[in-house]
């Protein structure tokens, strides 16, 4: 395709951001948002065609796009190539600040986000998601963004090969009541949530809703009601995270094949790992985790410390964990199910029984070191 039109478009010279987007040539180009406060009252929109690449770039915190709408409309709506899994179309959004209000909608709404990168952007105060990715898409990355006082940080549906890393999320004192910070629907596959810091939300940090084949690794998750909540999920790797929440990791419904390894779970007052309504599903590996009260436990009001609750799951392996100062009736508890292997755990100074399994099937309990004779 021959190049047409100007490929570097300055929003100031074009007469505004929408005018700059409208001027994008057929083969794409760069739209630059200079430093300044750019106030908009209606959604900025662009629908891209096959081969029409978009690089939308600002000057970091200095380039602020402000949503004045109060009808839940998004600030910026981008539509990719409809109906395509692998279009020749790349979207990059970098070094911009998106400012919303509690009655506005999503900051970024991207439909068909194929080959999309959102990089080093700042989001604050949006009544919807900071980043809302819908319909279907592949190969998207959200990295090194700061998302504060947004209803959600990242929402994704039917998205394959999404990577989130280096992002920071947080509520704002006296800000809006937040939903979960990250939501993946059942059609998302092979998502990596790696090296982020999710802090101080009002609900869950991460909800995985009936989805599969993800890696959640190396994140700091603190100050939520639940850290990671998997609802009817399978084939997940959850490892090397720091979790500080009443429930560290919840597996609810028919979850299968979840690996929970090498995590540090601090002040998980209700449960470090909570498996509920499993109906005999399971096949999980829970290994090499540290479960204990924090160094600040003496100054927090809730003195409880939960352990591992297997519920009515089956065929789980719980091995090599350190459980310390668990206040539950049992540090490791199974109710129903069966086929578990519970071995090689160090259970220290726990208030109740080290292990209690009231399972329907055969289980193996061996070589756990406890403080009881």
């Amino acid at each position: 395709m021959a190049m047409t039109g100007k490929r570097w478009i300055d929003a100031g010279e074009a007469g505004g951001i929408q005018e700059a987007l409208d001027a994008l040539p057929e083969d794409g180009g760069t739209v630059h948002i200079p430093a300044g406060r750019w106030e908009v009252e209606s959604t900025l929109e662009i629908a891209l065609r096959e081969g029409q690449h978009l690089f939308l770039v600002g000057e970091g915190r200095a380039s602020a796009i402000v949503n004045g709408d109060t009808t839940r409309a998004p600030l910026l709506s981008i539509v990719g190539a409809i109906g395509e899994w692998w279009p020749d179309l790349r979207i990059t959004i970098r070094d911009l600040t998106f400012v919303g209000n509690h009655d506005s909608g999503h900051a970024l709404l991207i439909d068909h986000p194929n080959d999309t990168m959102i990089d080093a952007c700042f989001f604050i105060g949006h009544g919807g998601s900071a980043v809302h990715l819908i319909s279907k898409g592949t190969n998207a990355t959200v990295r090194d963004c700061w998302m504060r006082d947004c209803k959600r940080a990242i929402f994704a549906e039917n998205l394959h090969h999404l990577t989130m890393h280096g992002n920071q999320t947080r509520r704002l004192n006296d800000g809006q009541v937040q939903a979960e910070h990250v939501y993946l629907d059942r059609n998302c596959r092979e998502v990596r949530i790696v090296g982020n810091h999710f802090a101080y939300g009002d609900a869950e940090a991460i909800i995985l809703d009936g989805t599969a084949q993800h890696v959640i690794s190396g994140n700091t998750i603190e100050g939520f009601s639940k850290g990671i909540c998997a609802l009817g999920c399978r084939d997940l790797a959850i490892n090397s995270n720091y979790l500080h929440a009443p429930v560290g990791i919840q597996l609810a419904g028919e979850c299968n094949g979840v690996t929970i390894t090498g995590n540090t779970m601090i002040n998980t007052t209700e449960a470090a790992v909570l498996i509920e309504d499993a109906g005999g599903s399971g096949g999980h590996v829970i290994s090499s985790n540290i479960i204990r009260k924090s160094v600040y436990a003496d100054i927090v009001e809730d003195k409880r410390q939960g352990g591992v609750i297997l519920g009515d799951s089956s065929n789980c392996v719980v091995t090599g964990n350190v459980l310390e100062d668990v206040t539950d009736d049992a540090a490791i508890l199974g109710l129903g199910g069966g086929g578990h292997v519970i071995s090689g755990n160090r259970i220290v100074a726990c208030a109740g029984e080290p292990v209690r399994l009231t399972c329907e099937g055969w289980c193996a309990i061996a070589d756990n070191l406890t403080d009881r004779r």
Side-chain angles (χ1 to χ4, degrees):
M1 180 185 295
M3 293 193 302
T4 59
K6 186 178 180 181
R7 303 202 65 189
W8 173 278
I9 304 165
D10 185 283
E13 295 175 1
I17 299 174
Q18 186 62 63
E19 289 80 2
L21 294 171
D22 293 341
L24 193 73
E26 290 184 3
D27 51 353
T30 299
V31 172
H32 175 242
I33 313 297
R37 186 176 176 89
W38 298 77
E39 300 193 12
V40 299
E41 298 298 327
S42 59
T43 301
L44 301 168
E45 298 178 303
I46 186 168
L48 299 168
R49 298 178 294 276
E50 178 90 3
Q52 190 181 29
H53 312 299
L54 171 64
F55 179 32
L56 182 64
V57 62
E59 299 177 28
R61 297 290 181 94
S63 298
I65 309 174
V66 183
N67 194 357
D69 179 87
T70 57
T71 64
R72 302 293 180 188
L75 176 52
L76 174 59
S77 173
I78 299 174
V79 179
I82 298 296
E84 298 289 338
W85 270 115
W86 301 101
D88 178 21
L89 175 62
R90 290 177 291 280
I91 301 167
T92 303
I93 301 168
R94 179 172 291 153
D95 290 328
L96 282 166
T97 296
F98 296 89
V99 180
N101 63 78
H102 295 172
D103 294 317
S104 66
H106 311 308
L108 287 179
L109 172 62
I110 306 180
D111 188 341
H112 283 70
N114 293 289
D115 290 329
T116 293
M117 176 177 288
I118 302 164
D119 180 25
C121 290
F122 179 76
F123 302 85
I124 187 165
H126 298 276
S129 306
V131 177
H132 205 80
L133 307 172
I134 63 168
S135 294
K136 68 177 182 178
T138 58
N139 298 338
T141 298
V142 183
R143 70 182 188 186
D144 298 330
C145 292
W146 178 223
M147 303 164 178
R148 191 165 194 183
D149 192 35
C150 301
K151 179 62 75 173
R152 285 187 178 89
I154 300 171
F155 175 101
E157 65 180 26
N158 199 14
L159 186 55
H160 292 210
H161 303 173
L162 168 64
T163 297
M164 290 175 256
H165 67 81
N167 301 292
Q168 297 189 57
T169 73
R170 192 181 180 96
R171 74 162 180 255
L172 185 69
N173 291 341
D174 301 321
Q176 66 182 317
V177 176
Q178 295 180 313
E180 72 283 347
H181 282 197
V182 175
Y183 177 90
L184 304 182
D185 91 327
R186 65 177 293 104
N187 295 310
C188 290
R189 292 290 184 275
E190 291 152 351
V191 171
R192 299 188 309 149
I193 304 176
V194 179
N196 304 281
H197 190 167
F198 304 115
Y200 300 106
D202 297 299
E204 303 87 355
I206 300 170
I207 290 183
L208 310 173
D209 193 355
T211 186
Q213 298 166 270
H214 307 315
V215 174
I216 303 175
S217 179
N219 301 285
T220 296
I221 300 173
E222 57 174 332
F224 297 86
S225 61
K226 296 174 183 175
I228 300 168
C229 181
L231 309 174
C233 297
R234 60 203 182 279
D235 307 327
L236 307 175
I238 302 173
N239 59 71
S240 301
N241 302 284
Y242 170 89
L243 295 140
H244 186 166
V247 175
I249 298 170
Q250 177 192 31
L251 309 181
E254 190 175 338
C255 292
N256 289 283
V258 178
T259 302
I260 301 171
T261 60
N263 301 282
T264 299
M265 306 187 200
I266 299 297
N267 284 3
T268 51
T269 54
E270 297 178 25
V273 178
L274 173 62
I275 302 176
E276 296 182 308
D277 302 322
S281 61
H284 311 306
V285 173
I286 303 169
S287 68
S288 304
N289 302 287
I290 295 176
I291 299 167
R292 66 189 304 272
K293 293 180 181 179
S294 80
V295 68
Y296 303 111
D298 290 340
I299 63 174
V300 298
E301 293 182 2
D302 196 339
K303 305 296 185 183
R304 296 176 297 164
Q305 173 60 47
V308 174
I309 301 175
L310 299 174
D312 59 345
S313 63
S314 297
N315 304 318
C316 297
V317 174
V318 183
T319 182
N321 302 284
V322 174
L323 298 93
E324 184 177 314
D325 294 320
V326 174
T327 58
D328 290 347
D329 291 340
I332 300 171
L333 175 65
L335 302 169
H340 301 308
V341 175
I342 314 294
S343 67
N345 299 287
R346 179 65 173 109
I347 302 172
V348 183
C350 294
E353 299 176 60
V355 180
R356 185 200 304 160
L357 303 181
T358 57
C359 296
E360 299 171 357
W362 176 86
C363 295
I365 304 173
D367 300 322
N368 298 291
L369 181 60
T370 76
D371 294 339
R372 297 189 172 199
R373 294 184 180 275

